[in-house]
Amino acid sequence: MSSNTSHLCTRSERGPAVDSPSFATLVGFPVLLVAALVALSYPLAAATALAATALAVKGTQFGLAALVRRTNDAPRRVTVPGVGTVTVSIAPL
């Protein structure tokens, strides 16, 4: 009978360390859970809030696009007290 002990571990080996969840995860998950429960409890209010958010985002996009078109790559100069004159140029992507 041969004694082959190469497969035996002589010391305790630890596995990879598991990172603990971040603070944002610990706070964000319960907030999202409560928001989902509120949305299920009040579906009309949730749909209204979602539609209002979508309209606000689209309105902001159209407003910023109009601002870019109106400036025509003309630089704007703004005087900031204590800093000096800052030149701002808005160009479309």
Side-chain angles (χ1 to χ4, degrees), residues 34-61:
V34 169
L37 291 174
V38 169
L40 288 173
S41 297
Y42 302 101
L44 184 59
T48 303
L50 185 63
T53 303
L55 285 173
V57 167
K58 277 302 184 187
T60 303
Q61 285 178 345

Side-chain angles (χ1 to χ4, degrees), residues 5 7 9 12-13 16-17 19 27 29 32 38 41-42 45 47 52 54 56 59 62-63 72 84 90:
T5 59
H7 67 281
C9 294
S12 138
E13 294 181 11
D19 291 336
V27 172
F29 182 73
L32 286 175
V38 169
S41 297
Y42 302 101
F62 285 128
N72 291 329
I90 300 174

Side-chain angles (χ1 to χ4, degrees), residues 5-38:
T5 59
S6 63
H7 67 281
L8 297 177
C9 294
T10 58
R11 60 187 165 129
S12 138
E13 294 181 11
R14 291 186 170 180
V18 177
D19 291 336
S20 60
S22 68
F23 180 73
T25 301
L26 291 175
V27 172
F29 182 73
V31 168
L32 286 175
L33 183 64
V34 169
L37 291 174
V38 169

